[in-house]
Amino acid sequence: MAKVYVVGTMDTKALEMRYAAEQVRNAGGEPVLVDVGTQGVGEDADVAASVVAAHHPDGKEALEGLVDRGVAVSAMAKALTRFLASRTDIGAVLGLGGTGNTALVTEAMRTLPVGVPKVMVSTVASGNTAPYVGPTDLTMMYSVVDIAGLNAISRKVIGNAAHAAAGMALNAVPVSQADKPGLGMSMFGVTTSCVTMVRQQMEKTHEVYIFHATGMGGQSMEKLADSGLVAGLIDVTTTEVPDLLIGGVFPATEDRFGAVIRTKLPYVGSVGAVDMVNFGAMDSVPRQFCNRRLHVHNAQVTLMRTTPEENRRIGEFIVSRLNRMQGPVRFLLPLRGVSAIDAPGQPFHDAEADAALFDTMRSGWQAAPNRELIELDLHLNEPAFAEQLVRNFRDIAQL
């Protein structure tokens, strides 16, 4: 039977954790109590804190003698991540805690594949949960009262969470044999025409998942790749890179493209919407950018045109990641413009800036049998460009 791993600090939350385990058992599940305490000797658990600590990359010695609680929590989070990755019987993971344990447990939860049930009962679940949830299917439940003893409220909340985790572990959703292979695609408003044309063609053979390139969108797309839930990516819209490098509100992480490097999945990409950095309403644009070329996309979104120098940085970032990919790769450059507003007569048309991007990618590209850089005398949103994206993906995916 797939088990429910109940994770928390037995030195301070033993009563609550044992109650959660009891409720899992009452619901028909098989609980495993996992202690991740760092500041004292906890009560007996099915998996002691020392056992979890031994999974730290530097061994359990890395957690010995740590006085600073934040440092200890961070170290135990690394250990828990590797511990959970080593298990083959996880049906669900249920965490209980305040700020420290929420940060610890959710860091490990986020590394689990999409589809593995993850439930976190937390005192901070009614605030900004983005740092805890990230790009995963992690469920957070607000504890209402602090997790500090059992009472009429905490028993109900913890019990509900335990029943939910047990229910998911006992009723895993089967993979349908009728499902088509998944295909991840990145899109932004100014690349919608292109992505729509590609989607309409690829839906004949694939289940297409579209991700809005708002920072978390790209992370979620790559999380599916890491989780083995897509058969490839057509990454049209890499606009999160400019926001990362220049300071926009929809940034990628430094791990952008990392999933493709790790998984070696078939990958077709382009430079959609890298002509812009995203900010909020006009009055939110940082002062140092107020004299730049700005475009009001809507009342809540202001776009800033990237410069030649910025485009060189963007090109260097992208090509450095592409050069590390060992799977089948095709990267397409649309030489006539990279977004709906980067075309002759449009507000972000800038041939010099685009040329800086393309020249940087040409000069930085490392030729290899598995990778090809393809230049097309087309605009990104032209039907012919969409056709090339589809053709190249079908070629490398051997469809």
Side-chain angles (χ1 to χ4, degrees), residues 103-126:
L104 191 165
V105 178
T106 58
E107 180 176 330
M109 284 179 169
R110 288 194 301 274
T111 66
L112 293 171
V114 170
V116 175
K118 317 160 188 70
V119 182
M120 184 74 214
V121 181
S122 171
T123 59
V124 295
S126 68

Side-chain angles (χ1 to χ4, degrees), residues 235-248:
D235 191 9
V236 176
T237 312
T238 44
T239 188
E240 294 155 325
V241 173
D243 280 30
L244 169 66
L245 300 179
I246 301 161

Side-chain angles (χ1 to χ4, degrees), residues 104-396:
L104 191 165
V105 178
T106 58
E107 180 176 330
M109 284 179 169
R110 288 194 301 274
T111 66
L112 293 171
V114 170
V116 175
K118 317 160 188 70
V119 182
M120 184 74 214
V121 181
S122 171
T123 59
V124 295
S126 68
N128 176 18
T129 61
Y132 306 112
V133 176
T136 70
D137 57 338
L138 194 162
T139 300
M140 294 192 73
M141 181 181 289
Y142 181 44
S143 63
V144 183
V145 296
D146 203 347
I147 302 173
L150 292 174
N151 53 57
I153 304 301
S154 62
R155 280 195 298 269
K156 192 70 173 177
V157 173
I158 294 172
N160 284 340
H163 291 170
M168 288 187 278
L170 291 166
N171 298 278
V173 179
V175 176
S176 171
Q177 297 303 312
D179 286 348
K180 299 175 183 177
L183 174 66
M185 295 184 63
S186 54
M187 187 174 80
F188 218 44
V190 291
T191 65
T192 298
S193 295
C194 174
V195 174
T196 298
M197 287 183 284
V198 174
R199 174 182 60 78
Q200 290 171 343
Q201 295 184 58
M202 292 306 303
E203 282 177 336
K204 300 171 185 176
T205 55
H206 288 70
E207 189 166 63
V208 179
Y209 310 129
I210 305 293
F211 297 88
H212 198 190
T214 56
M216 197 56 69
Q219 292 178 55
S220 295
M221 180 178 71
E222 295 204 37
K223 180 65 178 178
L224 288 194
D226 275 329
S227 298
L229 295 175
V230 292
L233 302 178
I234 300 182
D235 191 9
V236 176
T237 312
T238 44
T239 188
E240 294 155 325
V241 173
D243 280 30
L244 169 66
L245 300 179
I246 301 161
V249 298
F250 297 145
T253 68
E254 289 288 341
D255 191 47
R256 185 69 166 90
F257 309 103
V260 185
I261 296 170
R262 290 185 290 271
T263 63
K264 301 180 183 179
L265 283 171
Y267 176 85
V268 172
S270 191
V271 286
V274 302
D275 56 326
M276 59 190 63
V277 180
N278 297 271
F279 298 107
M282 180 64 82
D283 59 7
S284 73
V285 176
R287 181 174 300 177
Q288 67 267 31
F289 298 133
C290 287
N291 292 325
R292 293 281 297 274
R293 195 191 315 183
L294 302 174
H295 175 73
V296 177
H297 184 65
N298 58 47
Q300 285 75 43
V301 177
T302 305
L303 310 176
M304 180 178 76
R305 202 346 168 157
T306 51
T307 66
E309 176 54 34
E310 290 166 348
N311 274 10
R312 279 187 279 273
R313 292 173 57 199
I314 294 163
E316 288 170 358
F317 181 98
I318 295 174
V319 79
S320 69
R321 271 65 177 176
L322 295 171
N323 287 336
R324 293 166 56 194
M325 294 179 183
Q326 299 302 309
V329 172
R330 301 289 184 272
F331 202 83
L332 279 57
L333 299 181
L335 301 183
R336 292 193 180 186
V338 303
S339 81
I341 58 174
D342 174 32
Q346 295 298 317
F348 276 8
H349 179 58
D350 188 331
E352 181 185 359
D354 286 348
L357 172 72
F358 302 143
D359 288 344
T360 299
M361 296 201 66
R362 289 186 195 105
S363 61
W365 183 264
Q366 295 176 8
N370 65 297
R371 296 189 297 269
E372 186 175 350
L373 183 67
I374 300 171
E375 300 185 34
L376 297 168
D377 189 26
L378 298 167
H379 186 275
L380 182 125
N381 283 327
E382 287 186 55
F385 189 79
E387 290 172 5
Q388 287 295 324
L389 289 167
V390 171
R391 182 177 303 169
N392 276 275
F393 184 80
R394 293 194 180 282
D395 179 39
I396 62 174

